[in-house]
Amino acid sequence: MEGSKEALIELAHYKMPFGKYKGEYLVAIPEYYYTWFKQKGFPEGKLGRMMLQMHDIKINGLEELIYNIQREFKR
């Protein structure tokens, strides 16, 4: 359970390292961007896994959960 908590905190504070949304928190990136990546293929590795998770969060309307984590667990 503790690993899941840490993973969510990391996801909440992770910023896009490239492209149009470089430097933006993943949660702040529009859903359509993730949908496009889902069709074309997410990047390999950690970033791709986080983007897929964020896609799932966004399509289920759970962004507020991530914003709450950002506020509660400052970095």
PDB file of all heavy atoms in Angstrom, residues 9-44:
ATOM      1  N   ILE A   9       1.769   9.984  -5.435  1.00  0.00           N
ATOM      2  CA  ILE A   9       2.393  11.275  -5.146  1.00  0.00           C
ATOM      3  C   ILE A   9       3.346  11.646  -6.279  1.00  0.00           C
ATOM      4  O   ILE A   9       3.351  12.792  -6.747  1.00  0.00           O
ATOM      5  CB  ILE A   9       3.116  11.249  -3.784  1.00  0.00           C
ATOM      6  CG1 ILE A   9       2.091  11.112  -2.653  1.00  0.00           C
ATOM      7  CG2 ILE A   9       3.973  12.495  -3.600  1.00  0.00           C
ATOM      8  CD1 ILE A   9       2.692  10.827  -1.293  1.00  0.00           C
ATOM      9  N   GLU A  10       4.130  10.681  -6.741  1.00  0.00           N
ATOM     10  CA  GLU A  10       5.037  10.946  -7.855  1.00  0.00           C
ATOM     11  C   GLU A  10       4.259  11.315  -9.120  1.00  0.00           C
ATOM     12  O   GLU A  10       4.607  12.273  -9.820  1.00  0.00           O
ATOM     13  CB  GLU A  10       5.929   9.734  -8.127  1.00  0.00           C
ATOM     14  CG  GLU A  10       6.925   9.980  -9.230  1.00  0.00           C
ATOM     15  CD  GLU A  10       7.850   8.805  -9.492  1.00  0.00           C
ATOM     16  OE1 GLU A  10       7.554   7.674  -9.048  1.00  0.00           O
ATOM     17  OE2 GLU A  10       8.879   9.016 -10.155  1.00  0.00           O
ATOM     18  N   LEU A  11       3.197  10.591  -9.409  1.00  0.00           N
ATOM     19  CA  LEU A  11       2.362  10.876 -10.579  1.00  0.00           C
ATOM     20  C   LEU A  11       1.776  12.286 -10.493  1.00  0.00           C
ATOM     21  O   LEU A  11       1.759  13.024 -11.475  1.00  0.00           O
ATOM     22  CB  LEU A  11       1.241   9.840 -10.694  1.00  0.00           C
ATOM     23  CG  LEU A  11       0.258  10.014 -11.850  1.00  0.00           C
ATOM     24  CD1 LEU A  11       0.971   9.873 -13.198  1.00  0.00           C
ATOM     25  CD2 LEU A  11      -0.864   8.990 -11.738  1.00  0.00           C
ATOM     26  N   ALA A  12       1.327  12.679  -9.317  1.00  0.00           N
ATOM     27  CA  ALA A  12       0.721  13.999  -9.130  1.00  0.00           C
ATOM     28  C   ALA A  12       1.711  15.130  -9.395  1.00  0.00           C
ATOM     29  O   ALA A  12       1.315  16.216  -9.823  1.00  0.00           O
ATOM     30  CB  ALA A  12       0.161  14.119  -7.713  1.00  0.00           C
ATOM     31  N   HIS A  13       2.992  14.877  -9.159  1.00  0.00           N
ATOM     32  CA  HIS A  13       4.000  15.926  -9.286  1.00  0.00           C
ATOM     33  C   HIS A  13       4.878  15.785 -10.536  1.00  0.00           C
ATOM     34  O   HIS A  13       5.779  16.593 -10.745  1.00  0.00           O
ATOM     35  CB  HIS A  13       4.877  15.958  -8.037  1.00  0.00           C
ATOM     36  CG  HIS A  13       4.123  16.406  -6.820  1.00  0.00           C
ATOM     37  ND1 HIS A  13       3.794  17.718  -6.581  1.00  0.00           N
ATOM     38  CD2 HIS A  13       3.590  15.709  -5.792  1.00  0.00           C
ATOM     39  CE1 HIS A  13       3.115  17.806  -5.465  1.00  0.00           C
ATOM     40  NE2 HIS A  13       2.968  16.601  -4.972  1.00  0.00           N
ATOM     41  N   TYR A  14       4.590  14.802 -11.357  1.00  0.00           N
ATOM     42  CA  TYR A  14       5.417  14.561 -12.544  1.00  0.00           C
ATOM     43  C   TYR A  14       5.073  15.561 -13.643  1.00  0.00           C
ATOM     44  O   TYR A  14       3.900  15.842 -13.886  1.00  0.00           O
ATOM     45  CB  TYR A  14       5.210  13.130 -13.045  1.00  0.00           C
ATOM     46  CG  TYR A  14       6.355  12.598 -13.857  1.00  0.00           C
ATOM     47  CD1 TYR A  14       7.441  12.011 -13.229  1.00  0.00           C
ATOM     48  CD2 TYR A  14       6.358  12.691 -15.240  1.00  0.00           C
ATOM     49  CE1 TYR A  14       8.502  11.512 -13.966  1.00  0.00           C
ATOM     50  CE2 TYR A  14       7.422  12.198 -15.986  1.00  0.00           C
ATOM     51  CZ  TYR A  14       8.489  11.608 -15.333  1.00  0.00           C
ATOM     52  OH  TYR A  14       9.546  11.128 -16.061  1.00  0.00           O
ATOM     53  N   LYS A  15       6.108  16.079 -14.281  1.00  0.00           N
ATOM     54  CA  LYS A  15       5.915  17.057 -15.358  1.00  0.00           C
ATOM     55  C   LYS A  15       6.340  16.456 -16.690  1.00  0.00           C
ATOM     56  O   LYS A  15       7.271  15.649 -16.752  1.00  0.00           O
ATOM     57  CB  LYS A  15       6.715  18.322 -15.080  1.00  0.00           C
ATOM     58  CG  LYS A  15       6.187  19.088 -13.883  1.00  0.00           C
ATOM     59  CD  LYS A  15       6.926  20.381 -13.683  1.00  0.00           C
ATOM     60  CE  LYS A  15       6.326  21.150 -12.521  1.00  0.00           C
ATOM     61  NZ  LYS A  15       6.987  22.449 -12.332  1.00  0.00           N
ATOM     62  N   MET A  16       5.657  16.864 -17.723  1.00  0.00           N
ATOM     63  CA  MET A  16       5.950  16.396 -19.079  1.00  0.00           C
ATOM     64  C   MET A  16       7.345  16.884 -19.476  1.00  0.00           C
ATOM     65  O   MET A  16       7.618  18.080 -19.404  1.00  0.00           O
ATOM     66  CB  MET A  16       4.891  16.913 -20.049  1.00  0.00           C
ATOM     67  CG  MET A  16       5.125  16.500 -21.479  1.00  0.00           C
ATOM     68  SD  MET A  16       5.177  14.720 -21.722  1.00  0.00           S
ATOM     69  CE  MET A  16       3.450  14.345 -21.867  1.00  0.00           C
ATOM     70  N   PRO A  17       8.215  15.972 -19.899  1.00  0.00           N
ATOM     71  CA  PRO A  17       9.591  16.366 -20.216  1.00  0.00           C
ATOM     72  C   PRO A  17       9.818  16.840 -21.647  1.00  0.00           C
ATOM     73  O   PRO A  17      10.926  17.252 -21.987  1.00  0.00           O
ATOM     74  CB  PRO A  17      10.382  15.081 -19.940  1.00  0.00           C
ATOM     75  CG  PRO A  17       9.415  13.982 -20.207  1.00  0.00           C
ATOM     76  CD  PRO A  17       8.059  14.524 -19.818  1.00  0.00           C
ATOM     77  N   PHE A  18       8.806  16.797 -22.507  1.00  0.00           N
ATOM     78  CA  PHE A  18       9.031  17.172 -23.909  1.00  0.00           C
ATOM     79  C   PHE A  18       7.745  17.679 -24.550  1.00  0.00           C
ATOM     80  O   PHE A  18       6.658  17.556 -23.991  1.00  0.00           O
ATOM     81  CB  PHE A  18       9.555  15.976 -24.718  1.00  0.00           C
ATOM     82  CG  PHE A  18       8.564  14.857 -24.855  1.00  0.00           C
ATOM     83  CD1 PHE A  18       7.617  14.861 -25.858  1.00  0.00           C
ATOM     84  CD2 PHE A  18       8.568  13.786 -23.971  1.00  0.00           C
ATOM     85  CE1 PHE A  18       6.692  13.831 -25.987  1.00  0.00           C
ATOM     86  CE2 PHE A  18       7.656  12.752 -24.080  1.00  0.00           C
ATOM     87  CZ  PHE A  18       6.719  12.777 -25.097  1.00  0.00           C
ATOM     88  N   GLY A  19       7.886  18.225 -25.742  1.00  0.00           N
ATOM     89  CA  GLY A  19       6.734  18.547 -26.584  1.00  0.00           C
ATOM     90  C   GLY A  19       5.969  19.791 -26.209  1.00  0.00           C
ATOM     91  O   GLY A  19       6.438  20.639 -25.444  1.00  0.00           O
ATOM     92  N   LYS A  20       4.784  19.869 -26.757  1.00  0.00           N
ATOM     93  CA  LYS A  20       3.906  21.021 -26.609  1.00  0.00           C
ATOM     94  C   LYS A  20       3.635  21.359 -25.147  1.00  0.00           C
ATOM     95  O   LYS A  20       3.486  22.522 -24.792  1.00  0.00           O
ATOM     96  CB  LYS A  20       2.587  20.712 -27.327  1.00  0.00           C
ATOM     97  CG  LYS A  20       1.544  21.787 -27.242  1.00  0.00           C
ATOM     98  CD  LYS A  20       0.304  21.383 -28.020  1.00  0.00           C
ATOM     99  CE  LYS A  20      -0.756  22.468 -27.965  1.00  0.00           C
ATOM    100  NZ  LYS A  20      -1.930  22.094 -28.752  1.00  0.00           N
ATOM    101  N   TYR A  21       3.559  20.354 -24.297  1.00  0.00           N
ATOM    102  CA  TYR A  21       3.226  20.557 -22.887  1.00  0.00           C
ATOM    103  C   TYR A  21       4.426  20.386 -21.959  1.00  0.00           C
ATOM    104  O   TYR A  21       4.261  20.131 -20.768  1.00  0.00           O
ATOM    105  CB  TYR A  21       2.088  19.612 -22.478  1.00  0.00           C
ATOM    106  CG  TYR A  21       0.813  19.928 -23.196  1.00  0.00           C
ATOM    107  CD1 TYR A  21       0.379  19.144 -24.258  1.00  0.00           C
ATOM    108  CD2 TYR A  21       0.040  21.027 -22.854  1.00  0.00           C
ATOM    109  CE1 TYR A  21      -0.791  19.438 -24.938  1.00  0.00           C
ATOM    110  CE2 TYR A  21      -1.126  21.334 -23.529  1.00  0.00           C
ATOM    111  CZ  TYR A  21      -1.531  20.537 -24.573  1.00  0.00           C
ATOM    112  OH  TYR A  21      -2.694  20.841 -25.237  1.00  0.00           O
ATOM    113  N   LYS A  22       5.612  20.569 -22.487  1.00  0.00           N
ATOM    114  CA  LYS A  22       6.837  20.436 -21.687  1.00  0.00           C
ATOM    115  C   LYS A  22       6.745  21.337 -20.454  1.00  0.00           C
ATOM    116  O   LYS A  22       6.382  22.509 -20.543  1.00  0.00           O
ATOM    117  CB  LYS A  22       8.057  20.828 -22.516  1.00  0.00           C
ATOM    118  CG  LYS A  22       9.353  20.672 -21.769  1.00  0.00           C
ATOM    119  CD  LYS A  22      10.545  20.997 -22.636  1.00  0.00           C
ATOM    120  CE  LYS A  22      11.816  20.773 -21.839  1.00  0.00           C
ATOM    121  NZ  LYS A  22      13.004  21.020 -22.655  1.00  0.00           N
ATOM    122  N   GLY A  23       7.053  20.740 -19.299  1.00  0.00           N
ATOM    123  CA  GLY A  23       7.045  21.474 -18.038  1.00  0.00           C
ATOM    124  C   GLY A  23       5.700  21.524 -17.340  1.00  0.00           C
ATOM    125  O   GLY A  23       5.604  21.992 -16.206  1.00  0.00           O
ATOM    126  N   GLU A  24       4.639  21.035 -17.985  1.00  0.00           N
ATOM    127  CA  GLU A  24       3.306  21.010 -17.372  1.00  0.00           C
ATOM    128  C   GLU A  24       3.141  19.729 -16.555  1.00  0.00           C
ATOM    129  O   GLU A  24       3.639  18.668 -16.929  1.00  0.00           O
ATOM    130  CB  GLU A  24       2.217  21.036 -18.448  1.00  0.00           C
ATOM    131  CG  GLU A  24       2.186  22.291 -19.272  1.00  0.00           C
ATOM    132  CD  GLU A  24       1.630  23.473 -18.520  1.00  0.00           C
ATOM    133  OE1 GLU A  24       0.807  23.276 -17.601  1.00  0.00           O
ATOM    134  OE2 GLU A  24       2.023  24.601 -18.863  1.00  0.00           O
ATOM    135  N   TYR A  25       2.407  19.840 -15.444  1.00  0.00           N
ATOM    136  CA  TYR A  25       2.057  18.633 -14.709  1.00  0.00           C
ATOM    137  C   TYR A  25       1.230  17.736 -15.617  1.00  0.00           C
ATOM    138  O   TYR A  25       0.400  18.228 -16.397  1.00  0.00           O
ATOM    139  CB  TYR A  25       1.238  18.960 -13.458  1.00  0.00           C
ATOM    140  CG  TYR A  25       2.036  19.606 -12.359  1.00  0.00           C
ATOM    141  CD1 TYR A  25       1.809  20.930 -11.988  1.00  0.00           C
ATOM    142  CD2 TYR A  25       3.011  18.893 -11.677  1.00  0.00           C
ATOM    143  CE1 TYR A  25       2.536  21.523 -10.970  1.00  0.00           C
ATOM    144  CE2 TYR A  25       3.747  19.479 -10.658  1.00  0.00           C
ATOM    145  CZ  TYR A  25       3.503  20.787 -10.311  1.00  0.00           C
ATOM    146  OH  TYR A  25       4.230  21.362  -9.311  1.00  0.00           O
ATOM    147  N   LEU A  26       1.417  16.431 -15.506  1.00  0.00           N
ATOM    148  CA  LEU A  26       0.660  15.509 -16.353  1.00  0.00           C
ATOM    149  C   LEU A  26      -0.845  15.705 -16.188  1.00  0.00           C
ATOM    150  O   LEU A  26      -1.590  15.614 -17.158  1.00  0.00           O
ATOM    151  CB  LEU A  26       1.044  14.057 -16.045  1.00  0.00           C
ATOM    152  CG  LEU A  26       2.463  13.635 -16.392  1.00  0.00           C
ATOM    153  CD1 LEU A  26       2.659  12.150 -16.082  1.00  0.00           C
ATOM    154  CD2 LEU A  26       2.822  13.925 -17.836  1.00  0.00           C
ATOM    155  N   VAL A  27      -1.280  15.991 -14.979  1.00  0.00           N
ATOM    156  CA  VAL A  27      -2.713  16.160 -14.729  1.00  0.00           C
ATOM    157  C   VAL A  27      -3.276  17.396 -15.437  1.00  0.00           C
ATOM    158  O   VAL A  27      -4.466  17.450 -15.743  1.00  0.00           O
ATOM    159  CB  VAL A  27      -3.023  16.195 -13.213  1.00  0.00           C
ATOM    160  CG1 VAL A  27      -2.510  17.464 -12.565  1.00  0.00           C
ATOM    161  CG2 VAL A  27      -4.507  15.993 -12.956  1.00  0.00           C
ATOM    162  N   ALA A  28      -2.436  18.378 -15.738  1.00  0.00           N
ATOM    163  CA  ALA A  28      -2.886  19.617 -16.375  1.00  0.00           C
ATOM    164  C   ALA A  28      -2.991  19.493 -17.896  1.00  0.00           C
ATOM    165  O   ALA A  28      -3.531  20.368 -18.558  1.00  0.00           O
ATOM    166  CB  ALA A  28      -1.942  20.760 -16.019  1.00  0.00           C
ATOM    167  N   ILE A  29      -2.506  18.397 -18.437  1.00  0.00           N
ATOM    168  CA  ILE A  29      -2.529  18.183 -19.885  1.00  0.00           C
ATOM    169  C   ILE A  29      -3.915  17.667 -20.286  1.00  0.00           C
ATOM    170  O   ILE A  29      -4.468  16.792 -19.625  1.00  0.00           O
ATOM    171  CB  ILE A  29      -1.415  17.189 -20.290  1.00  0.00           C
ATOM    172  CG1 ILE A  29      -0.050  17.796 -19.954  1.00  0.00           C
ATOM    173  CG2 ILE A  29      -1.512  16.821 -21.757  1.00  0.00           C
ATOM    174  CD1 ILE A  29       1.121  16.838 -20.098  1.00  0.00           C
ATOM    175  N   PRO A  30      -4.479  18.206 -21.361  1.00  0.00           N
ATOM    176  CA  PRO A  30      -5.844  17.811 -21.764  1.00  0.00           C
ATOM    177  C   PRO A  30      -5.971  16.320 -22.112  1.00  0.00           C
ATOM    178  O   PRO A  30      -5.023  15.700 -22.597  1.00  0.00           O
ATOM    179  CB  PRO A  30      -6.119  18.655 -23.008  1.00  0.00           C
ATOM    180  CG  PRO A  30      -5.084  19.711 -23.047  1.00  0.00           C
ATOM    181  CD  PRO A  30      -3.920  19.223 -22.256  1.00  0.00           C
ATOM    182  N   GLU A  31      -7.142  15.810 -21.873  1.00  0.00           N
ATOM    183  CA  GLU A  31      -7.430  14.393 -22.133  1.00  0.00           C
ATOM    184  C   GLU A  31      -7.178  14.010 -23.590  1.00  0.00           C
ATOM    185  O   GLU A  31      -6.683  12.912 -23.861  1.00  0.00           O
ATOM    186  CB  GLU A  31      -8.883  14.099 -21.760  1.00  0.00           C
ATOM    187  CG  GLU A  31      -9.273  12.649 -21.928  1.00  0.00           C
ATOM    188  CD  GLU A  31     -10.733  12.400 -21.597  1.00  0.00           C
ATOM    189  OE1 GLU A  31     -11.258  13.013 -20.649  1.00  0.00           O
ATOM    190  OE2 GLU A  31     -11.341  11.591 -22.304  1.00  0.00           O
ATOM    191  N   TYR A  32      -7.506  14.895 -24.529  1.00  0.00           N
ATOM    192  CA  TYR A  32      -7.337  14.554 -25.947  1.00  0.00           C
ATOM    193  C   TYR A  32      -5.891  14.217 -26.285  1.00  0.00           C
ATOM    194  O   TYR A  32      -5.630  13.401 -27.170  1.00  0.00           O
ATOM    195  CB  TYR A  32      -7.859  15.666 -26.869  1.00  0.00           C
ATOM    196  CG  TYR A  32      -7.003  16.909 -26.932  1.00  0.00           C
ATOM    197  CD1 TYR A  32      -5.888  16.956 -27.757  1.00  0.00           C
ATOM    198  CD2 TYR A  32      -7.310  18.029 -26.179  1.00  0.00           C
ATOM    199  CE1 TYR A  32      -5.089  18.091 -27.823  1.00  0.00           C
ATOM    200  CE2 TYR A  32      -6.525  19.168 -26.236  1.00  0.00           C
ATOM    201  CZ  TYR A  32      -5.409  19.192 -27.054  1.00  0.00           C
ATOM    202  OH  TYR A  32      -4.618  20.310 -27.104  1.00  0.00           O
ATOM    203  N   TYR A  33      -4.946  14.810 -25.578  1.00  0.00           N
ATOM    204  CA  TYR A  33      -3.518  14.539 -25.810  1.00  0.00           C
ATOM    205  C   TYR A  33      -3.203  13.079 -25.461  1.00  0.00           C
ATOM    206  O   TYR A  33      -2.521  12.378 -26.198  1.00  0.00           O
ATOM    207  CB  TYR A  33      -2.699  15.505 -24.961  1.00  0.00           C
ATOM    208  CG  TYR A  33      -1.218  15.553 -25.263  1.00  0.00           C
ATOM    209  CD1 TYR A  33      -0.741  16.133 -26.427  1.00  0.00           C
ATOM    210  CD2 TYR A  33      -0.294  15.050 -24.357  1.00  0.00           C
ATOM    211  CE1 TYR A  33       0.612  16.212 -26.686  1.00  0.00           C
ATOM    212  CE2 TYR A  33       1.065  15.118 -24.603  1.00  0.00           C
ATOM    213  CZ  TYR A  33       1.518  15.707 -25.770  1.00  0.00           C
ATOM    214  OH  TYR A  33       2.861  15.781 -26.023  1.00  0.00           O
ATOM    215  N   TYR A  34      -3.740  12.627 -24.339  1.00  0.00           N
ATOM    216  CA  TYR A  34      -3.534  11.232 -23.927  1.00  0.00           C
ATOM    217  C   TYR A  34      -4.256  10.270 -24.860  1.00  0.00           C
ATOM    218  O   TYR A  34      -3.756   9.188 -25.150  1.00  0.00           O
ATOM    219  CB  TYR A  34      -3.986  11.025 -22.479  1.00  0.00           C
ATOM    220  CG  TYR A  34      -3.135  11.780 -21.497  1.00  0.00           C
ATOM    221  CD1 TYR A  34      -3.630  12.885 -20.823  1.00  0.00           C
ATOM    222  CD2 TYR A  34      -1.825  11.401 -21.248  1.00  0.00           C
ATOM    223  CE1 TYR A  34      -2.848  13.584 -19.920  1.00  0.00           C
ATOM    224  CE2 TYR A  34      -1.043  12.098 -20.357  1.00  0.00           C
ATOM    225  CZ  TYR A  34      -1.552  13.182 -19.699  1.00  0.00           C
ATOM    226  OH  TYR A  34      -0.767  13.875 -18.823  1.00  0.00           O
ATOM    227  N   THR A  35      -5.436  10.663 -25.311  1.00  0.00           N
ATOM    228  CA  THR A  35      -6.180   9.822 -26.246  1.00  0.00           C
ATOM    229  C   THR A  35      -5.398   9.649 -27.542  1.00  0.00           C
ATOM    230  O   THR A  35      -5.333   8.548 -28.093  1.00  0.00           O
ATOM    231  CB  THR A  35      -7.573  10.423 -26.531  1.00  0.00           C
ATOM    232  OG1 THR A  35      -8.278  10.533 -25.285  1.00  0.00           O
ATOM    233  CG2 THR A  35      -8.371   9.572 -27.493  1.00  0.00           C
ATOM    234  N   TRP A  36      -4.782  10.715 -28.014  1.00  0.00           N
ATOM    235  CA  TRP A  36      -3.947  10.643 -29.218  1.00  0.00           C
ATOM    236  C   TRP A  36      -2.781   9.682 -28.996  1.00  0.00           C
ATOM    237  O   TRP A  36      -2.507   8.823 -29.843  1.00  0.00           O
ATOM    238  CB  TRP A  36      -3.436  12.041 -29.589  1.00  0.00           C
ATOM    239  CG  TRP A  36      -2.619  12.053 -30.832  1.00  0.00           C
ATOM    240  CD1 TRP A  36      -3.069  12.156 -32.115  1.00  0.00           C
ATOM    241  CD2 TRP A  36      -1.187  11.942 -30.928  1.00  0.00           C
ATOM    242  NE1 TRP A  36      -2.011  12.123 -32.992  1.00  0.00           N
ATOM    243  CE2 TRP A  36      -0.835  11.990 -32.297  1.00  0.00           C
ATOM    244  CE3 TRP A  36      -0.172  11.815 -29.982  1.00  0.00           C
ATOM    245  CZ2 TRP A  36       0.476  11.912 -32.737  1.00  0.00           C
ATOM    246  CZ3 TRP A  36       1.144  11.741 -30.425  1.00  0.00           C
ATOM    247  CH2 TRP A  36       1.443  11.784 -31.792  1.00  0.00           C
ATOM    248  N   PHE A  37      -2.114   9.804 -27.845  1.00  0.00           N
ATOM    249  CA  PHE A  37      -0.997   8.899 -27.549  1.00  0.00           C
ATOM    250  C   PHE A  37      -1.473   7.457 -27.432  1.00  0.00           C
ATOM    251  O   PHE A  37      -0.776   6.535 -27.847  1.00  0.00           O
ATOM    252  CB  PHE A  37      -0.271   9.308 -26.257  1.00  0.00           C
ATOM    253  CG  PHE A  37       0.917  10.181 -26.492  1.00  0.00           C
ATOM    254  CD1 PHE A  37       0.853  11.543 -26.263  1.00  0.00           C
ATOM    255  CD2 PHE A  37       2.119   9.652 -26.938  1.00  0.00           C
ATOM    256  CE1 PHE A  37       1.941  12.357 -26.476  1.00  0.00           C
ATOM    257  CE2 PHE A  37       3.223  10.453 -27.157  1.00  0.00           C
ATOM    258  CZ  PHE A  37       3.138  11.813 -26.928  1.00  0.00           C
ATOM    259  N   LYS A  38      -2.651   7.250 -26.861  1.00  0.00           N
ATOM    260  CA  LYS A  38      -3.175   5.879 -26.738  1.00  0.00           C
ATOM    261  C   LYS A  38      -3.353   5.261 -28.123  1.00  0.00           C
ATOM    262  O   LYS A  38      -3.069   4.076 -28.321  1.00  0.00           O
ATOM    263  CB  LYS A  38      -4.485   5.870 -25.965  1.00  0.00           C
ATOM    264  CG  LYS A  38      -4.993   4.464 -25.701  1.00  0.00           C
ATOM    265  CD  LYS A  38      -5.945   4.441 -24.552  1.00  0.00           C
ATOM    266  CE  LYS A  38      -6.479   3.061 -24.304  1.00  0.00           C
ATOM    267  NZ  LYS A  38      -5.690   2.261 -23.417  1.00  0.00           N
ATOM    268  N   GLN A  39      -3.782   6.050 -29.088  1.00  0.00           N
ATOM    269  CA  GLN A  39      -3.955   5.557 -30.454  1.00  0.00           C
ATOM    270  C   GLN A  39      -2.612   5.327 -31.146  1.00  0.00           C
ATOM    271  O   GLN A  39      -2.454   4.362 -31.888  1.00  0.00           O
ATOM    272  CB  GLN A  39      -4.789   6.546 -31.260  1.00  0.00           C
ATOM    273  CG  GLN A  39      -6.212   6.649 -30.791  1.00  0.00           C
ATOM    274  CD  GLN A  39      -6.956   7.812 -31.423  1.00  0.00           C
ATOM    275  OE1 GLN A  39      -6.378   8.653 -32.092  1.00  0.00           O
ATOM    276  NE2 GLN A  39      -8.261   7.861 -31.192  1.00  0.00           N
ATOM    277  N   LYS A  40      -1.654   6.209 -30.911  1.00  0.00           N
ATOM    278  CA  LYS A  40      -0.349   6.147 -31.597  1.00  0.00           C
ATOM    279  C   LYS A  40       0.683   5.305 -30.851  1.00  0.00           C
ATOM    280  O   LYS A  40       1.633   4.825 -31.448  1.00  0.00           O
ATOM    281  CB  LYS A  40       0.224   7.562 -31.785  1.00  0.00           C
ATOM    282  CG  LYS A  40      -0.642   8.471 -32.615  1.00  0.00           C
ATOM    283  CD  LYS A  40      -0.743   7.997 -34.040  1.00  0.00           C
ATOM    284  CE  LYS A  40      -1.589   8.950 -34.858  1.00  0.00           C
ATOM    285  NZ  LYS A  40      -1.824   8.476 -36.195  1.00  0.00           N
ATOM    286  N   GLY A  41       0.502   5.194 -29.541  1.00  0.00           N
ATOM    287  CA  GLY A  41       1.452   4.461 -28.712  1.00  0.00           C
ATOM    288  C   GLY A  41       2.143   5.386 -27.728  1.00  0.00           C
ATOM    289  O   GLY A  41       2.724   6.394 -28.126  1.00  0.00           O
ATOM    290  N   PHE A  42       2.058   5.030 -26.462  1.00  0.00           N
ATOM    291  CA  PHE A  42       2.729   5.811 -25.426  1.00  0.00           C
ATOM    292  C   PHE A  42       4.231   5.573 -25.496  1.00  0.00           C
ATOM    293  O   PHE A  42       4.670   4.524 -25.966  1.00  0.00           O
ATOM    294  CB  PHE A  42       2.211   5.414 -24.038  1.00  0.00           C
ATOM    295  CG  PHE A  42       0.819   5.892 -23.747  1.00  0.00           C
ATOM    296  CD1 PHE A  42      -0.246   5.014 -23.761  1.00  0.00           C
ATOM    297  CD2 PHE A  42       0.578   7.224 -23.472  1.00  0.00           C
ATOM    298  CE1 PHE A  42      -1.536   5.452 -23.485  1.00  0.00           C
ATOM    299  CE2 PHE A  42      -0.712   7.674 -23.199  1.00  0.00           C
ATOM    300  CZ  PHE A  42      -1.763   6.786 -23.203  1.00  0.00           C
ATOM    301  N   PRO A  43       5.022   6.530 -24.998  1.00  0.00           N
ATOM    302  CA  PRO A  43       6.476   6.319 -24.952  1.00  0.00           C
ATOM    303  C   PRO A  43       6.809   5.094 -24.099  1.00  0.00           C
ATOM    304  O   PRO A  43       6.022   4.700 -23.235  1.00  0.00           O
ATOM    305  CB  PRO A  43       7.012   7.587 -24.287  1.00  0.00           C
ATOM    306  CG  PRO A  43       5.924   8.591 -24.360  1.00  0.00           C
ATOM    307  CD  PRO A  43       4.638   7.828 -24.453  1.00  0.00           C
ATOM    308  N   GLU A  44       7.960   4.546 -24.328  1.00  0.00           N
ATOM    309  CA  GLU A  44       8.431   3.411 -23.534  1.00  0.00           C
ATOM    310  C   GLU A  44       8.776   3.883 -22.118  1.00  0.00           C
ATOM    311  O   GLU A  44       9.082   5.044 -21.894  1.00  0.00           O
ATOM    312  CB  GLU A  44       9.680   2.795 -24.172  1.00  0.00           C
ATOM    313  CG  GLU A  44       9.432   2.144 -25.510  1.00  0.00           C
ATOM    314  CD  GLU A  44       8.605   0.881 -25.405  1.00  0.00           C
ATOM    315  OE1 GLU A  44       8.778   0.113 -24.446  1.00  0.00           O
ATOM    316  OE2 GLU A  44       7.764   0.669 -26.291  1.00  0.00           O
TER     317      GLU A  44
END
